[in-house]
Amino acid sequence: MKRTIVLKAEENLRKRHQKLNENLEKNLTLLRSDDAFQDLNFKLKKLMIENAKSEAYGEKADKKSEKTLREKLEKYLAEKNIDLSISYACPKCKDALYIDGKMCACLKKEISNLLLSESNFGELFSFEEARKTAPKEYQKLYDKMKEWCHGDFKKNLIFISGEVGVGKTYLTKAIASELIENGRIVKLVTAFQMSRDFKKYRFEYDEEILDKYVTCEFLFIDDLGTETIYKGITVELLFHVINERKMKKLCTIITSNLTLSEISDRYDERIFSRIVDRSTSIAINLSGKDLRLNSTTAH
């Protein structure tokens, strides 16, 4: 993933935190010239330090006076209608963006939103929204795929095939939406754009071009089979991406109008074998009311 994406996401969230606390900054500025507040605050801090020292030496601390001063300060602020509490957009990490050195869900979600904004996909919708227009025969499938979004991802390649209009887009957008809600990082790309990137990579050898396909947590490839096949480029690099992601145990979701047989004919046996590997893949064929799942295990 590009470091610039992470930095942009961090910047966006910090600006959001600052906006939430604009009133706090204004109030603090006002209180810096408020003699009565400064006097009470100075006395309270001084006493707190003295009490801490007393406790450190095993001596009795004047907690009663500390409590009295604290109450006076709170009463003074209430009379002035001044709120000094800090607001957090994310109560989980308190807008620190990281917890124990790992990205918080809020940062992952912002990164996903930025990645989505760079993709060719429009607005996403939830499983609940997708169900409204889906055939009743799809409900069990939706349950399974929603369950997969919360599972261990041992099955890390999802292949969804079917003709135009059978619901592939609804299903993939619902999956992407559910993952983002869970704080997962997703990248959505059309097969057409991906093939163009492969061609660009072959001529420029810019590792960042392939990096976004190989390293993102969840990669969605839409409409595989509609892209231009560049000789010596597209098939080789598609296998590289799929194979690398398999080895890294990263999830790949592919949609296509092609059948598995047509996938085998258009690409090669290596790509076909990765897609149909039942131990790590789920192959779904949507055909209107005639719904067939080659594997539905979500765990």
Coordinates of all heavy atoms in Angstrom, one line a residue, residues 45 50 83 112 135 141 157 202 207 245 259 263 268:
K45 N -3.1 22.4 40.6 CA -2.0 21.7 40.1 C -0.9 21.6 41.1 O -0.2 20.5 41.3 CB -1.5 22.4 38.8 CG -2.3 22.1 37.6 CD -1.7 22.7 36.3 CE -2.6 22.4 35.1 NZ -2.0 23.0 33.9
E50 N 2.0 18.3 45.3 CA 2.4 18.1 46.7 C 1.8 16.8 47.2 O 2.5 16.1 47.9 CB 1.9 19.3 47.5 CG 2.7 20.6 47.2 CD 2.1 21.8 47.9 OE1 1.0 21.6 48.6 OE2 2.6 22.9 47.9
D83 N -16.9 24.4 28.5 CA -16.7 22.9 28.5 C -15.3 22.6 28.0 O -14.9 23.0 26.9 CB -17.7 22.3 27.6 CG -17.6 20.7 27.6 OD1 -16.9 20.2 28.4 OD2 -18.2 20.1 26.7
S112 N -9.7 2.7 3.4 CA -10.6 2.0 2.5 C -11.4 3.1 1.7 O -11.5 2.9 0.5 CB -11.5 1.1 3.2 OG -10.8 0.0 3.8
P135 N -33.3 -12.1 -5.5 CA -34.3 -13.2 -5.4 C -34.2 -13.9 -4.1 O -33.1 -14.0 -3.5 CB -33.8 -14.1 -6.6 CG -33.0 -13.3 -7.5 CD -32.4 -12.3 -6.6
L141 N -27.2 -17.6 0.3 CA -25.9 -17.2 -0.2 C -25.4 -15.9 0.5 O -24.3 -15.8 0.9 CB -25.9 -16.9 -1.7 CG -24.7 -16.3 -2.3 CD1 -23.5 -17.2 -2.1 CD2 -24.9 -16.0 -3.8
L157 N -9.9 -16.9 -1.8 CA -10.3 -16.5 -3.2 C -11.7 -16.8 -3.4 O -12.2 -17.9 -3.3 CB -9.4 -17.2 -4.2 CG -9.5 -16.6 -5.6 CD1 -8.1 -16.8 -6.4 CD2 -10.6 -17.2 -6.4
R202 N 5.0 -3.3 -17.1 CA 6.0 -4.0 -18.0 C 7.0 -3.0 -18.7 O 8.1 -3.4 -18.9 CB 5.3 -4.8 -19.0 CG 6.2 -5.7 -19.9 CD 7.0 -6.7 -19.1 NE 6.2 -7.9 -18.8 CZ 6.5 -8.8 -17.9 NH1 7.6 -8.6 -17.2 NH2 5.7 -9.8 -17.6
E207 N 7.5 -0.6 -9.2 CA 7.0 -1.6 -8.3 C 5.7 -1.2 -7.6 O 4.9 -2.1 -7.2 CB 8.0 -1.9 -7.2 CG 9.2 -2.7 -7.7 CD 8.9 -4.1 -8.3 OE1 7.9 -4.7 -7.9 OE2 9.5 -4.5 -9.3
R245 N -0.9 -13.4 -3.7 CA -1.9 -13.2 -2.7 C -2.3 -14.4 -2.0 O -2.5 -14.4 -0.8 CB -3.1 -12.5 -3.3 CG -2.8 -11.1 -3.9 CD -4.1 -10.4 -4.4 NE -5.1 -10.3 -3.4 CZ -5.0 -9.3 -2.4 NH1 -4.0 -8.4 -2.4 NH2 -6.0 -9.2 -1.5
T259 N -17.6 -18.6 -17.7 CA -17.7 -19.8 -16.9 C -16.3 -20.3 -16.5 O -15.3 -19.8 -17.1 CB -18.4 -20.9 -17.7 OG1 -17.6 -21.3 -18.8 CG2 -19.8 -20.5 -18.2
I263 N -12.8 -19.6 -18.4 CA -11.6 -19.1 -17.7 C -10.4 -19.9 -18.1 O -9.3 -19.4 -18.4 CB -11.8 -19.1 -16.2 CG1 -12.9 -18.0 -15.8 CG2 -10.5 -18.9 -15.5 CD1 -12.4 -16.6 -15.9
D268 N -4.8 -19.7 -18.3 CA -4.1 -20.9 -18.4 C -4.4 -21.8 -17.2 O -5.1 -21.4 -16.3 CB -2.6 -20.6 -18.5 CG -2.0 -19.9 -17.3 OD1 -2.6 -20.0 -16.2 OD2 -0.9 -19.4 -17.4

